[in-house]
Amino acid sequence: MNDAPLGLLFSILCTLLIFSAFFSSSETGMMSLNRYRLKHLLNSGHRGAARASELLSRPDRLIGLILIGNNLVNFIAASIATVIAIRLWGESGALVAAVSLTLVVLIFAEVTPKTIAALHPERIAFPATVLLLPMMKIFQPVVISLNAITNGLLRLLGVDPSAGSDENVSSEELRTIVTEAGRLIPPRHRGMLLNILDLEEVSVDDIMVPRNEVYGIDLDHCDEEILRCIQTSSHTRLPVWREDINNIVGVLHMRSASRVMTINGIDRAALESEMEAPYFVPESTPLHTQLMNFQKKKSPFAVVVDEYGEVVGVAALEDILEEIVGEFTSNLSDSADSIFPQRDGSFIIDGGANIREINKALEWGLPTDGPKTLSGLILEYLELFPDANAGLTIDSYRLEILELEGNVVRMVRAKPAPE
């Protein structure tokens, strides 16, 4: 080597630095691959993904191969650089070679290629597998021997080398993945996916129509009243009860309405025969569970009861779907009927408005882990029945009672409290 031309030595040194950059970038690129995207590409028949997946099935061997190759070319490069420096500057050139080669390796064979690989892992890793896979087969005995030694040391240190990383994703981790997907998932689709994840945190009583707002048929009413109820209904199904809503005896589908109406009014026998049996569900049922229950029961309508069996409202499949995809009807239908913006930046809100709907409409953060309506929330915080002009602050929101009716808050002025 001492007699080799300097031009040849420089050429060999540059080639070794290129190989060093290859191994460095390969290591970072392979370890930076998105495992879930890799599985997707593998299922799509991507050849580079197939090669990368084969190598990553034993990451300890892959790392061993890359480190063997990287260290080997770096040691040879250091030897050649030392020879070149001694021939140019004498014995003092060894120090110059060490310092110079360290800087060159760091810049051109470590930091730069690894940075590129970290930013574009697929562009680096997939082509690199064309060389890494045959090298793995060639150097397999060496790699296996090296891994046997390192795995033995790991076991002495109390580390199990056969224990793979946990690739399972929790709901919160999945939420982060969806949120950070950016342009890969359209905003509306991203919102729907997040809403699906939220279903397990929401129960039936959060989305039900409360009993005081339930629209249905009372069999104790006269035929004219029942007929008017059917003709003016905007709902697909109507609960039917006797005497009291707690005594729901069935559910009438509006497609059957024509069969119960006669020239003289209502055929009550036909009405009762056309009714479907009521389906009762507990108010605390999580929405994702209730969605599956609707599917099993083949019924999109349920009567919601509390722990004592009292009817507290009704819920429909449509209400759950709206939690995922948003309101099917105009947003003016519900929120605008109960929330009225004022010129001073405050809002006049109906006391019976659902807190979750208020939070959605105004992008607020009123607590939802207690009462479901604004009136109930205020009364819980005050712990008494106040005068109409009482005010309070809940979290960072200022609420002022404008109107009381009996023991219910009917109208509230609300706005974020000044910081």
Side-chain angles (χ1 to χ4, degrees):
M1 185 179 291
N2 291 331
D3 299 328
L6 285 176
L8 177 61
L9 294 177
F10 273 112
S11 298
I12 296 173
L13 180 60
C14 291
T15 303
L16 291 171
L17 290 175
I18 292 173
F19 273 105
S20 179
F22 165 76
F23 286 117
S24 298
S25 61
S26 298
E27 179 184 8
T28 301
M30 292 293 291
M31 297 305 154
S32 299
L33 285 174
N34 185 308
R35 295 296 191 271
Y36 300 101
R37 176 168 171 77
L38 183 62
K39 289 181 180 179
H40 166 70
L41 293 174
L42 180 62
N43 294 332
S44 302
H46 192 285
R47 294 183 179 179
R51 293 191 299 266
S53 181
E54 182 179 349
L55 288 168
L56 288 170
S57 63
R58 288 298 302 267
D60 55 337
R61 293 185 179 180
L62 175 61
I63 292 174
L65 172 67
I66 292 174
L67 291 180
I68 289 172
N70 205 4
N71 282 286
L72 181 62
V73 297
N74 285 341
F75 288 145
I76 297 175
S79 300
I80 293 177
T82 302
V83 171
I84 293 173
I86 292 175
R87 290 176 62 176
L88 291 176
W89 298 293
E91 294 299 328
S92 61
L95 180 60
V96 175
V99 175
S100 301
L101 186 63
T102 299
L103 292 175
V104 170
V105 169
L106 283 175
I107 295 172
F108 296 103
E110 291 290 337
V111 177
T112 300
K114 286 188 174 183
T115 301
I116 295 174
L119 294 174
H120 306 285
E122 292 182 12
R123 295 183 184 179
I124 300 298
F126 291 162
T129 57
V130 175
L131 290 178
L132 290 176
L133 203 55
M135 287 178 61
M136 177 66 77
K137 295 177 181 179
I138 294 172
F139 293 100
Q140 190 171 23
V142 179
V143 172
I144 292 176
S145 300
L146 179 64
N147 284 147
I149 297 172
T150 56
N151 290 343
L153 291 175
L154 288 174
R155 290 189 179 91
L156 291 176
L157 295 174
V159 179
D160 183 6
S162 62
S165 60
D166 186 8
E167 294 187 358
N168 295 324
V169 180
S170 67
S171 59
E172 290 304 317
E173 291 169 337
L174 182 57
R175 185 190 305 276
T176 301
I177 293 172
V178 173
T179 303
E180 299 297 327
R183 292 177 298 175
L184 297 176
I185 303 178
R188 180 168 177 78
H189 295 173
R190 191 160 59 242
M192 291 170 60
L193 291 172
L194 292 175
N195 288 339
I196 292 174
L197 294 175
D198 288 336
L199 288 184
E200 63 184 22
E201 300 176 4
V202 184
S203 55
V204 170
D205 61 340
D206 288 312
I207 55 97
M208 70 179 183
V209 177
R211 62 176 289 160
N212 62 311
E213 298 179 15
V214 172
Y215 188 89
I217 298 172
D218 188 343
L219 292 177
D220 290 336
H221 287 169
C222 62
D223 288 1
E224 290 76 13
E225 286 291 333
I226 296 176
L227 185 60
R228 186 181 302 111
C229 179
I230 293 175
Q231 291 175 337
T232 59
S233 173
S234 60
H235 305 285
T236 305
R237 288 175 170 80
L238 294 179
V240 182
W241 62 81
R242 281 194 177 91
E243 298 180 359
D244 183 78
I245 194 174
N246 283 317
N247 186 29
I248 292 181
V249 294
V251 177
L252 177 67
H253 198 294
M254 293 304 293
R255 68 187 175 196
S256 305
S258 60
R259 303 192 188 103
V260 305
M261 294 187 291
T262 65
I263 298 176
N264 299 322
I266 295 293
D267 184 341
R268 290 181 177 258
L271 173 60
E272 295 193 21
S273 66
E274 292 294 336
M275 291 188 309
E276 302 171 358
Y279 167 40
F280 297 94
V281 300
E283 62 179 339
S284 59
T285 306
L287 284 195
H288 69 285
T289 301
Q290 187 55 47
L291 184 62
M292 302 302 296
N293 291 340
F294 275 141
Q295 185 179 29
K296 292 178 182 177
K297 288 285 185 179
K298 307 297 182 183
S299 173
F301 185 87
V303 180
V304 185
V305 296
D306 62 15
E307 58 182 321
Y308 304 106
E310 297 288 321
V311 174
V312 294
V314 296
L317 176 61
E318 177 183 330
D319 300 320
I320 300 179
L321 295 180
E322 286 183 348
E323 288 294 310
I324 299 174
V325 302
E327 299 288 341
F328 292 135
T329 56
S330 171
N331 289 333
L332 298 175
S333 60
D334 294 328
S335 60
D337 287 343
S338 56
I339 302 175
F340 308 93
Q342 305 299 300
R343 292 183 178 180
D344 62 355
S346 64
F347 298 88
I348 303 299
I349 305 177
D350 189 303
N354 186 282
I355 297 175
R356 295 182 71 252
E357 295 300 327
I358 295 173
N359 287 342
K360 283 183 180 180
L362 302 180
E363 296 184 354
W364 284 6
L366 290 169
T368 57
D369 53 351
K372 307 305 178 183
T373 65
L374 185 60
S375 174
L377 180 66
I378 292 174
L379 294 177
E380 181 185 74
Y381 268 72
L382 291 176
E383 297 182 344
L384 51 81
F385 296 109
D387 297 328
N389 60 353
L392 71 159
T393 299
I394 298 178
D395 291 349
S396 58
Y397 303 95
R398 180 67 180 171
L399 308 177
E400 178 187 353
I401 301 174
L402 300 180
E403 182 183 339
L404 274 172
E405 184 177 323
N407 297 330
V408 178
V409 177
R410 288 299 179 190
M411 204 62 67
V412 178
R413 182 188 300 276
K415 63 179 180 179
E419 297 182 358

